[in-house]
Amino acid sequence: MQKLILKNKFSKSDYEIHSKFECGISLLGWEVKSLRAQNAKIENSFCYISKKMELWLNNLYIAQYMNVKGDSERSRKLLVHKSEILKIKNSLERLNLILIPTSMYWDNNKIKVEIALAKKLKKFDKRQKEKELEAKKKLKQFI
């Protein structure tokens, strides 16, 4: 059973999502306790692949738990198989996409991060998307 911790509320409105992946994350003890209390922000975070073929999550803000000294916005390693990293890297280069985290959740007492390959929408694309959604709503009202 999955219990949602965080959700990136801008992922659906600002990006066109192509595919999603589930991965683990390496955290310190105080970060887990702070996430259990849901003291974190995922809005401005992004992912990248390092030269060593490792997946990293940047700009994830996790608030300090009590008086523990630690960096609240450090880079955190995402735990993914090499074959999935290669798939992600190929699609990033081939389709000119970016990698964003969409949500964090508990899954069998482990914290998982859902990342997505996405394309940033321009302003006119957002407007067109909103018009299409409104048209669909009007059609549903008449039917």
Side-chain angles (χ1 to χ4, degrees), residues 82-96:
K82 291 278 187 188
S83 60
E84 285 186 340
I85 292 177
L86 288 172
K87 287 179 192 175
I88 293 169
K89 187 172 182 177
N90 288 337
S91 55
L92 282 174
E93 293 170 352
R94 187 170 33 92
L95 299 174
N96 197 16

Side-chain angles (χ1 to χ4, degrees), residues 2-142:
Q2 296 177 350
K3 182 184 174 194
L4 188 67
I5 299 171
L6 293 170
K7 188 169 186 176
N8 191 348
K9 60 184 175 182
F10 299 113
S11 63
K12 287 187 180 177
S13 61
D14 289 353
Y15 299 97
E16 180 185 340
I17 296 176
H18 288 272
S19 60
K20 294 181 179 182
F21 298 93
E22 179 186 70
C23 54
I25 185 168
S26 62
L27 297 170
L28 300 175
W30 66 269
E31 293 173 332
V32 175
K33 288 181 179 181
S34 187
L35 283 174
R36 201 175 287 273
Q38 295 185 345
N39 293 332
K41 293 181 184 175
I42 199 170
E43 277 76 37
N44 294 327
S45 57
F46 63 94
C47 302
Y48 70 94
I49 299 173
S50 68
K51 292 179 182 177
K52 294 181 180 179
M53 295 299 290
E54 295 174 338
L55 196 58
W56 291 87
L57 178 64
N58 263 8
N59 288 353
L60 173 67
Y61 175 77
I62 299 177
Q64 299 267 330
Y65 184 76
M66 296 189 148
N67 291 331
V68 178
K69 293 191 177 181
D71 189 11
S72 59
E73 287 193 16
R74 68 179 182 90
S75 295
R76 292 164 180 92
K77 187 176 180 179
L78 296 176
L79 309 172
V80 186
H81 290 284
K82 291 278 187 188
S83 60
E84 285 186 340
I85 292 177
L86 288 172
K87 287 179 192 175
I88 293 169
K89 187 172 182 177
N90 288 337
S91 55
L92 282 174
E93 293 170 352
R94 187 170 33 92
L95 299 174
N96 197 16
L97 301 173
I98 57 175
L99 198 57
I100 59 167
T102 56
S103 63
M104 286 183 85
Y105 53 89
W106 287 95
D107 189 26
N108 294 331
N109 290 329
K110 293 182 176 121
I111 297 176
K112 300 287 183 177
V113 179
E114 185 179 74
I115 57 174
L117 288 167
K119 186 174 186 177
K120 181 96 169 144
L121 291 176
K122 302 228 182 333
K123 220 176 209 181
F124 62 87
D125 291 331
K126 289 183 199 174
R127 289 184 189 139
Q128 186 176 4
K129 194 175 182 181
E130 288 176 11
K131 286 179 186 177
E132 289 173 2
L133 287 173
E134 287 178 17
K136 287 180 183 178
K137 285 181 184 177
K138 287 182 182 178
L139 278 173
K140 285 184 180 179
Q141 286 177 354
F142 288 120

